[in-house]
């Protein structure tokens, strides 16, 4: 068999991803403290249908069942997040041993089933006690994060080979402190910039803490990246695309990989600026072992009507997910090639990619989701093309293993390859689960066949 018949690297990591607040539930059990999402969900009008993560998928109690699903799926790895308020209920200080015990059990269960744990240390569930002191607007929260990371690493570091410091700091900053769509619900450009800087600073400090506690582990960060395009050749369209690329992509890529904020984007904030102190950018840009890429959609800007400001097209090619996001697999390929060409990054993992559709359970008890199967297949094709073009991409984590609490959308959007019947919490593998299982098996078979014939 020719070597090029294998579309992915031999050691490519096949995984699935989740987040603590979206799946765990048990928000009042075993000493867990309140998070900003508990408070946000309790605020009328913030979350669709008044939903919350209080029960979610009850992963806290049902994780052995879900690990068995992962094993049967044939995954190499499971990406989950650790709930900061479950470890340090007040954000700093007293450690909740019961919280550490839970993640101890989870990690051991994963390893016993030949699954590599890929924990994320922050996926948006800031302890409310820290938000009451200013949250990510304040430098002290970055200091508290480094303390929390040290506690977790001391307990789990002997078994963790890959740590992710933060998930999508751009979303935590811009949606949590800029637009107010996410917790804690602030609406200030300056607060968003301060929060973004402290999130990134805490990433740098966490990297340092992990290097000290887990010297053999690989460390990375997962960024939400949105390729931006101009619809045509108009200067205004190109300028709008570059501006949005600066706000959502370069504002996070540049400090992490270059040790600087993009000057053109800084100038666009009208005097608002991140509170940078000497040494901050050097801390943020500490060397990484991998870069996590979360990709869902692109943005395309066209000239506004009657010469007005350019507008973002919601679905240039006419196909969208249940979130209203355009389905554009080529955007993932373009993004990966752009990262290679512009940043020379460390090895890349696709740490999130997936789609929400209006899944229904049929009379046969099954969930048929051909749209999701096609989505995953097309995006994997984009990853394969990027790998063939020389991009060092090491793995793919589908979002998500389970249907779950989709933040401000509550339980109205289903991203999982496993259907969750929320009234009973029954798990039902969807057709996309079986497709992904078979695809992973076929890739492994190709690798083994090539090795046998080499």
């Amino acid at each position: 068999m020719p070597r090029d018949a294998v579309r992915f690297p031999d050691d490519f990591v096949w995984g699935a991803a989740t987040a603590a607040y979206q799946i765990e539930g048990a928000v009042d059990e075993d000493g867990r403290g309140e998070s900003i999402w508990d408070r946000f969900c309790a605020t009328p009008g913030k979350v669709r249908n008044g939903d919350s993560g209080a029960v979610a998928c009850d992963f806290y109690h049902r994780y052995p069942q879900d690990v068995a699903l992962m094993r049967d799926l044939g995954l190499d790895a499971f990406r989950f997040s650790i709930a900061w308020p479950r470890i340090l209920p007040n954000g700093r200080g007293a450690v909740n041993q019961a919280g550490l015990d839970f993640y101890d059990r989870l990690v051991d269960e994963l390893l016993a089933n030949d699954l590599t744990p890929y924990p994320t240390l922050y996926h948006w569930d800031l302890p409310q006690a820290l938000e009451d002191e200013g949250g990510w607007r304040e430098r002290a929260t970055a200091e508290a994060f480094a303390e929390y990371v040290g506690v977790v690493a001391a307990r789990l570091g002997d078994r963790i080979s890959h740590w992710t410091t933060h998930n999508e700091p751009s979303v935590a900053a811009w949606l949590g402190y800029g637009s107010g769509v996410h917790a804690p619900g602030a609406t200030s450009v300056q607060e968003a910039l301060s929060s973004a800087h402290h999130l990134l600073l805490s990433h740098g400090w966490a990297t340092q803490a992990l290097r000290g506690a887990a010297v053999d582990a690989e460390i990375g960060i997962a960024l939400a990246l949105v390729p931006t395009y101009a619809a045509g050749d108009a200067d205004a369209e190109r300028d709008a695309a570059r501006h949005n690329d600066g706000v959502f992509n370069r504002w996070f890529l540049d400090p992490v990989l270059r040790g600087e904020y993009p000057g053109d984007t800084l100038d666009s904030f009208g005097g608002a600026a991140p509170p940078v102190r000497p040494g901050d950018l050097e801390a943020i840009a500490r060397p990484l072992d991998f870069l996590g890429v979360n990709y869902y959609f692109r943005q395309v800007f066209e000239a506004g009507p009657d010469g007005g400001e350019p507008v973002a097209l919601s679905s240039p090619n006419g196909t969208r997910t249940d979130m209203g996001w355009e389905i554009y697999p080529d955007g993932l390929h373009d993004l990966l090639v752009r990262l290679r060409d512009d940043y020379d990054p460390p090895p890349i993992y696709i740490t999130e990619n997936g789609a929400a559709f209006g899944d229904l359970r049929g009379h046969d008890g099954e969930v048929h989701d051909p749209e999701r199967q096609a989505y995953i297949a097309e995006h994997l094709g984009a990853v394969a093309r990027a790998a063939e073009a020389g991009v060092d991409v090491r793995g793919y984590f589908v979002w998500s293993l389970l249907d779950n609490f989709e933040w401000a959308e509550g339980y109205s959007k289903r991203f999982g390859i496993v259907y969750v019947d929320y009234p009973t919490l029954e798990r039902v593998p969807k057709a996309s689960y079986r497709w992904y299982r078979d695809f992973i098996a076929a890739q492994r078979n190709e690798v083994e066949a090539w090795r046998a014939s080499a």
Side-chain angles (χ1 to χ4, degrees):
M1 176 182 292
R3 182 64 185 90
D4 60 7
V6 180
R7 299 176 63 202
F8 294 90
D10 293 359
D11 56 354
F12 197 80
V13 175
W14 299 101
T18 61
Y21 192 75
Q22 293 181 271
I23 66 167
E24 283 183 2
V27 298
D28 296 319
E29 293 190 38
D30 295 335
R32 178 187 178 276
E34 184 186 17
S35 78
I36 57 173
W37 272 95
D38 297 306
R39 182 71 60 88
F40 195 71
C41 291
T43 305
K46 295 298 185 180
V47 177
R48 182 176 289 197
N49 300 321
D51 292 339
S52 79
V55 176
C57 305
D58 196 30
F59 181 81
Y60 189 79
H61 298 109
R62 299 169 187 258
Y63 70 89
Q65 174 187 352
D66 294 328
V67 171
L69 285 169
M70 300 176 216
R71 182 194 62 221
D72 293 344
L73 187 55
L75 297 184
D76 296 307
F78 176 52
R79 181 172 176 249
F80 61 97
S81 75
I82 295 172
W84 187 351
R86 207 177 282 287
I87 308 302
L88 297 175
N90 295 312
R92 58 169 69 88
V95 176
N96 178 34
Q97 293 299 329
L100 286 171
D101 290 345
F102 167 68
Y103 294 107
D104 226 3
R105 296 191 300 271
L106 173 59
V107 167
D108 285 348
E109 184 76 10
L110 290 166
L111 292 172
N113 285 274
D114 296 322
L115 291 154
T116 302
Y118 274 64
T120 298
L121 288 156
Y122 186 73
H123 199 133
W124 308 350
D125 46 358
L126 181 71
Q128 182 63 41
L130 293 180
E131 178 59 28
D132 292 342
E133 299 173 3
W136 287 112
R137 308 169 190 84
E138 301 297 328
R139 191 178 184 90
T141 299
E143 296 167 350
F145 184 71
E147 176 185 339
Y148 150 69
V149 169
V151 170
V152 174
R155 182 65 173 271
L156 303 180
D158 61 328
R159 285 155 289 162
I160 300 300
S161 60
H162 293 77
W163 295 96
T164 301
T165 57
H166 279 276
N167 183 78
E168 300 184 348
S170 61
V171 176
W174 290 123
L175 271 65
Y177 292 88
S179 68
V181 173
H182 281 190
T187 54
S188 162
V189 171
Q190 181 56 63
E191 290 183 20
L193 289 172
S194 296
S195 298
H197 181 67
H198 293 138
L199 283 157
L200 292 174
L201 182 61
S202 75
H203 153 74
W205 287 347
T207 300
Q208 182 180 30
L210 289 167
R211 296 282 185 220
V215 292
D216 294 329
E218 296 190 5
I219 302 167
I221 187 172
L223 300 180
L225 299 175
V226 182
T228 59
Y229 304 81
D233 295 328
D235 288 344
E237 293 174 338
R238 289 197 296 267
D239 290 346
R242 180 163 177 78
H243 170 71
N244 280 270
D245 178 59
V247 171
F248 294 106
N249 300 324
R250 291 183 289 120
W251 195 255
F252 298 87
L253 286 165
D254 284 18
V256 169
L257 297 177
R258 293 177 175 168
E260 62 185 14
Y261 285 110
D264 63 306
T265 307
L266 178 61
D267 293 342
S268 73
F269 290 131
V276 180
R277 295 185 187 179
D280 283 4
L281 290 170
E282 291 80 2
I284 292 169
R286 284 193 171 95
L288 295 178
D289 301 298
F290 67 89
L291 174 66
V293 171
N294 294 1
Y295 173 78
Y296 290 97
F297 58 88
R298 65 169 175 169
Q299 285 190 317
V300 179
F301 292 87
E302 71 172 2
D306 302 321
E309 288 295 314
V311 295
L313 302 176
S314 63
S315 183
N317 70 10
T319 57
R320 294 185 290 177
T321 69
D322 205 34
M323 293 291 290
W325 298 340
E326 181 193 17
I327 300 172
Y328 190 68
D330 285 348
L332 179 53
H333 169 269
D334 295 350
L335 171 62
L336 293 172
V337 172
R338 182 264 181 107
L339 288 171
R340 179 201 64 193
D341 293 346
D342 289 0
Y343 289 95
D344 189 25
I348 292 171
Y349 290 84
I350 309 304
T351 37
E352 288 184 25
N353 175 244
F357 293 104
D359 303 323
L360 296 172
R361 195 172 182 183
H363 294 299
D364 59 358
E366 300 294 327
V367 180
H368 303 281
D369 56 342
E371 301 94 344
R372 185 173 292 104
Q373 290 176 228
Y375 180 100
I376 297 171
E378 290 167 0
H379 284 79
L380 284 172
V383 175
R385 287 189 287 114
E388 291 163 0
V391 178
D392 188 0
V393 57
R394 301 283 180 91
Y396 176 91
F397 292 77
V398 67
W399 185 272
S400 178
L401 177 70
L402 304 169
D403 290 337
N404 56 56
F405 175 80
E406 182 48 37
W407 307 112
E409 297 292 339
Y411 295 100
S412 68
K413 308 297 182 186
R414 293 182 177 271
F415 275 89
I417 58 173
V418 174
Y419 182 91
V420 177
D421 181 68
Y422 293 118
T424 66
L425 296 174
E426 179 186 5
R427 274 71 161 149
V428 181
K430 302 177 187 178
S432 58
Y433 171 100
R434 293 186 290 274
W435 181 91
Y436 191 41
R437 176 197 63 198
D438 294 346
F439 184 88
I440 293 170
Q443 293 300 312
R444 291 192 179 124
N445 289 339
E446 284 192 359
V447 171
E448 291 304 317
W450 176 80
R451 285 174 174 165
S453 63

